[in-house]
Amino acid sequence: MRGADEEPSAAAAGTPAAGAPAAGAPAAGAPAAGTPAAGAPAAGRLRRLGRWIREHYCTIDVRTLGLFRLVLGALLMGDCLRHWAEASWIYSNEGVLTNHYHLFHPSSGFNFSLYHAFSSLGEVHVAFALSLFCFFCFFIGWHTRLFSILSFLLVTSRDNRIVMIENGGYVVVNLITCWAMFMPTGRRFSVDALIRSYRERQERTAADLADRSRPAWAEQPYVSGVVLLAILNLATIYYFNVVNKSGQIWRRGETVHYVLHLDRMVTGLAVVAREYLPLWTKKGLTWGVLVLEALLVPWILSPYGRRVTRALAMGGMWGLHGSFGVMMRLGPFSWFMIAWSFLLPTAQHWEALERWYRRRAAPRVVVYDGGSPLAFALMRLLVRLDALELLRFEEARAAAAGAGGEAGAGGPRPELLVVRDPADGRLFQGAGALREILQALPGGRFARPVVWALSLGAPGALLGLASRRRDEMARFFGLGRRARARAAESPSPLSEKLARGRVVAREALVAYLGLCAVSQAINENKSVPAVLKHKQPSFVQATIVYPRLLQGWGMFAPNPITEDGSLAVDAITIDGRHVDPFTGEPPDLDLTDARGLGLGQIKQDYFNRIRLDRNKAFRRPGLQEFLLRYPERTGRAEDEIVAFDVYWVRDQCPRPGEGAPYKNEALPILSYRKPGYRARPGMPALPPVKKEVSAGN
């Protein structure tokens, strides 16, 4: 085997270096001649390493990016609706934290939120409606780059509006939306791609429809450092989630037992599971979680056999986080981690999926009215939707008027479109034709009930109307045979330089964010040796904290929570009733009989954080004023509150092998009595003010 010092120089490979002596000139005695030759092997190895990293970690299929955008956009819309449902008490000035108070008493350093500009509940509704519109535009891929940036600003602003309800899931949303900004997620499966295709290619004949060649921007993979950063960040989450879980409870396999008994977090399914699963099963699940999280790291990062390892990683992530999502109320964490997994498919997976789908597909021939501009416009749309090329297109002409008549003159017009099965010649018209077309499009066979509903519903009726009124609709939409688009002009030297400059600037920003992420991961994770931790410059802190791009990972680490708890309010109304304004029911100061509290992530995390001493500043006036506005929310004067005590109610989860919680406590953290209030005759006097105690740091 040739040693490193025996590797041929660049000149020996066939291309003489600049300034090298001509062929036949003596090589000995030239002092500078040996310098390039000695450095060439090292430089060549670096170039090969760079190409290898670029190929294995910095390259991604644009179809993967398109699918990733669809999943991420759908989840952003769903998460927006989840927060919108809580807008009245958590985001508006009628809630627990007004925007003006938070501006002067920010809950974190480097705090910025667009939501601080919206005060009343009506204004907050407008803010959420605009947010939902932006997420929808990102989902469909319309002006994708713009709305990906706006989506990032909006999710980080929503997080910064009230940091008390932030958990690891919010950070995952911020990170994944940040990395998406730097990716061309609109090149496939998007409105942008459709519009660009229409602009660049204008078919005029059936032969044009048969040409299925795609432009380079829709085929070439995307290469950028942000792909490497996103994949490394994903692996980092699982790495630290494993190494940070170093406690004895994890080692003994008791974590699942304790987690299933956290009534403030669990769903009804978890309540059933904890009552019927034996302890040995819970131990197996605990160790299984650790093993799976550990395996995900090499599966995600493996440069070889990625067709298998990436598929294993996706399946493992779906199983792991799907289980978390149905068992616990963790907010966006589980579902956005699943969304992150959609960055893993490679071109091999797409090709394998295409081959599998084609074996089960049903090719169809679409016969359209060749004399109808509307029909031809529909065919142009189908060409762009038919990514698997299962549809073929044929023109149909009007029949002759009779013997000796001119072809097409006065004859009956063909159907707007008819679908033919090339295997047996069956014809489908009307709703049946629409159904066959939809089933031939990508994914149509997986959604047959939806396809049937669409073909028989409004789209089917619309197709019938279009067939009857094809000429009027063509004129209304201004359809007609257009001239072929002019060939694209070559970019000017200035535009090429600007394009290269944008790429360099993008990669430089990505590299900077990557260095900030590494610094934050080192400082924030407890398992990293103290010698590596360092003081960050203020600009790095601002880069991380403003958009909440944190990197501390360790769910239930080093040990899971063994103490359950929730907030309970014992409020006294003016007519002497005791009520909890959060529930409208009498206060419950005993958790030991709970079978799940049914709290959403926002409420249970707010309850858990407001009880901490570091958040005392947000109890009065924030929480206090919200509780006193209870009669405004109910619309009943008799619900006026004259006194209340806010308790952190806690108990200890059952010991392994047992099922009953123990050691229930109610710790008063906020107490209020209406100034100057005198009880009505026959009503008991108000109890004395409770002494507020610490319920945690």
Side-chain angles (χ1 to χ4, degrees):
M1 180 178 294
R2 185 186 297 272
D5 57 343
E6 297 176 296
E7 188 171 338
S9 65
T15 306
T35 304
R45 285 194 294 269
L46 286 176
R47 284 194 296 269
R48 288 196 297 272
L49 177 61
R51 286 195 298 268
W52 186 87
I53 293 175
R54 189 163 57 248
E55 177 185 349
H56 289 84
Y57 292 110
C58 297
T59 303
I60 192 168
D61 195 289
V62 290
R63 291 168 293 185
T64 297
L65 292 177
L67 179 61
F68 167 71
R69 189 203 72 251
L70 290 172
V71 176
L72 177 58
L75 288 177
L76 287 174
M77 289 190 292
D79 200 44
C80 180
L81 292 174
R82 181 177 72 92
H83 284 268
W84 196 349
E86 310 282 351
S88 61
W89 76 276
I90 203 74
Y91 291 106
S92 77
N93 283 0
E94 300 171 17
V96 295
L97 183 61
T98 62
N99 56 1
H100 50 270
Y101 185 85
H102 196 225
L103 284 170
F104 290 98
H105 300 83
S107 50
S108 69
F110 304 104
N111 184 275
F112 170 78
S113 174
L114 295 174
Y115 282 83
H116 282 144
F118 301 89
S119 304
S120 68
L121 181 58
E123 291 173 351
V124 172
H125 284 324
V126 171
F128 273 100
L130 292 174
S131 299
L132 187 63
F133 172 76
C134 289
F135 298 145
F136 175 73
C137 291
F138 174 68
F139 168 72
I140 64 174
W142 181 60
H143 294 289
T144 312
R145 182 72 70 183
L146 169 64
F147 284 108
S148 67
I149 296 172
L150 291 177
S151 296
F152 175 67
L153 289 174
L154 289 168
V155 296
T156 55
S157 291
R158 193 176 64 207
D159 189 352
N160 275 298
R161 175 59 177 86
I162 179 162
V163 179
M164 272 190 292
I165 64 171
E166 177 190 79
N167 64 13
Y170 288 62
V171 177
V172 167
V173 176
N174 298 340
L175 286 168
I176 194 174
T177 312
C178 177
W179 307 146
M181 283 195 304
F182 297 95
M183 300 176 181
T185 57
R187 285 191 186 176
R188 294 295 294 269
F189 317 140
S190 67
V191 174
D192 284 345
L194 189 65
I195 293 174
R196 186 173 179 180
S197 174
Y198 272 114
R199 186 185 303 120
E200 294 181 356
R201 180 177 174 183
Q202 297 192 11
E203 299 88 344
R204 295 185 302 173
T205 65
D208 294 337
L209 296 176
D211 180 8
R212 299 302 189 91
S213 58
R214 292 191 180 94
W217 54 262
E219 290 291 308
Q220 292 178 348
Y222 178 64
V223 181
S224 171
V226 74
V227 180
L228 171 64
L229 180 54
I231 298 301
L232 283 178
N233 202 166
L234 179 60
T236 299
I237 293 174
Y238 292 111
Y239 171 78
F240 282 116
N241 262 309
V242 173
V243 299
N244 286 336
K245 293 171 179 172
S246 57
Q248 289 299 315
I249 295 179
W250 277 100
R251 294 174 184 268
R252 293 196 299 263
E254 298 167 352
T255 296
V256 169
H257 164 81
Y258 283 110
V259 168
L260 291 179
H261 281 88
L262 294 175
D263 285 300
R264 67 183 174 90
M265 286 188 180
V266 297
T267 65
L269 182 60
V271 172
V272 174
R274 77 189 187 192
E275 294 176 353
Y276 289 98
L277 288 178
L279 182 60
W280 64 267
T281 303
K282 297 174 186 176
K283 287 188 175 184
L285 291 172
T286 299
W287 293 322
V289 167
L290 281 176
V291 171
L292 180 54
E293 287 183 331
L295 287 173
L296 284 171
V297 178
W299 285 345
I300 291 169
L301 295 180
S302 174
Y304 304 112
R306 291 189 298 173
R307 180 177 178 180
V308 175
T309 58
R310 290 285 181 92
L312 288 173
M314 291 188 71
M317 291 174 67
W318 296 353
L320 180 69
H321 295 294
S323 301
F324 289 165
V326 299
M327 290 287 188
M328 305 185 68
R329 304 177 191 273
L330 299 174
F333 178 74
S334 297
W335 314 116
F336 279 83
M337 287 301 294
I338 290 175
W340 209 326
S341 75
F342 280 87
L343 285 177
L344 297 178
T346 66
Q348 290 178 311
H349 297 109
W350 286 104
E351 292 162 3
L353 179 62
E354 182 175 336
R355 288 193 300 269
W356 178 86
Y357 195 87
R358 282 182 176 278
R359 288 196 297 267
R360 293 158 177 78
R364 293 291 184 260
V365 177
V366 182
V367 184
Y368 63 95
D369 180 3
S372 169
L374 177 63
F376 193 78
L378 291 175
M379 298 308 104
R380 293 186 67 206
L381 176 61
L382 289 178
V383 164
R384 287 157 174 80
L385 298 180
D386 181 31
L388 298 179
E389 302 180 15
L390 295 175
L391 298 177
R392 298 205 325 266
F393 302 92
E394 293 182 2
E395 281 192 4
R397 294 290 182 180
E406 187 177 349
R413 296 191 68 176
E415 292 288 334
L416 185 69
L417 60 87
V418 175
V419 175
R420 185 176 74 244
D421 186 343
D424 55 20
R426 285 182 301 162
L427 296 178
F428 303 90
Q429 298 182 359
L434 179 60
R435 182 175 63 250
E436 294 300 312
I437 291 173
L438 292 176
Q439 288 188 156
L441 297 179
R445 292 182 61 83
F446 298 141
R448 286 189 174 181
V450 177
V451 167
W452 276 83
L454 287 174
S455 63
L456 297 176
L462 184 60
L463 180 62
L465 176 64
S467 182
R468 296 189 299 271
R469 300 291 183 88
R470 66 191 75 175
D471 294 332
E472 294 92 326
M473 294 183 70
R475 285 193 296 271
F476 178 80
F477 289 109
L479 300 176
R481 299 299 176 89
R482 302 178 181 178
R484 190 180 298 273
R486 293 181 299 176
E489 298 179 357
S490 300
S492 66
L494 177 60
S495 62
E496 289 182 339
K497 289 182 179 179
L498 290 175
R500 287 195 296 269
R502 287 195 298 269
V503 171
V504 171
R506 180 195 69 205
E507 296 303 305
L509 179 56
V510 167
Y512 169 70
L513 290 175
L515 292 174
C516 290
V518 171
S519 171
Q520 188 67 17
I522 290 173
N523 280 355
E524 203 171 344
N525 288 282
K526 298 178 181 178
S527 59
V528 177
V531 69
L532 296 178
K533 298 185 185 296
H534 53 279
K535 180 175 176 58
Q536 294 174 327
S538 59
F539 66 88
V540 172
Q541 296 178 22
T543 302
I544 294 294
V545 180
Y546 267 128
R548 310 295 296 172
L549 301 178
L550 309 176
Q551 292 289 345
W553 306 108
M555 180 181 290
F556 302 127
N559 277 310
I561 305 168
T562 60
E563 177 186 281
D564 197 9
S566 186
L567 212 67
V569 182
D570 183 5
I572 303 175
T573 63
I574 198 169
D575 58 357
R577 289 176 293 113
H578 288 252
V579 65
D580 185 338
F582 279 109
T583 65
E585 303 292 332
D588 184 0
L589 303 182
D590 186 358
L591 282 183
T592 57
D593 58 351
R595 299 184 73 251
L597 298 179
L599 300 176
Q601 175 270 320
I602 293 175
K603 185 167 287 186
Q604 57 111 339
D605 271 329
Y606 173 77
F607 286 177
N608 186 42
R609 307 283 170 69
I610 196 65
R611 55 107 176 182
L612 301 176
D613 292 344
R614 64 174 179 265
N615 289 323
K616 276 186 176 181
F618 303 110
R619 298 178 195 166
R620 190 183 286 113
L623 176 58
Q624 176 174 299
E625 291 185 353
F626 172 75
L627 296 174
L628 294 178
R629 282 193 291 267
Y630 180 62
E632 298 177 15
R633 296 191 292 274
T634 64
R636 294 164 21 113
E638 58 268 30
D639 285 335
E640 179 186 351
I641 292 176
V642 296
F644 66 74
D645 297 302
V646 179
Y647 295 93
W648 175 250
V649 184
R650 68 185 184 189
D651 65 15
Q652 298 298 313
C653 296
R655 299 178 182 89
E658 300 179 1
Y662 61 98
K663 199 178 178 181
N664 187 87
E665 295 179 286
L667 307 177
I669 62 171
L670 181 64
S671 191
Y672 167 83
R673 303 294 181 267
K674 183 178 180 180
Y677 173 76
R678 294 180 179 274
R680 299 175 182 175
M683 298 284 292
L686 296 180
V689 174
K690 299 285 185 181
K691 181 182 178 181
E692 299 174 8
V693 300
S694 173
N697 296 319

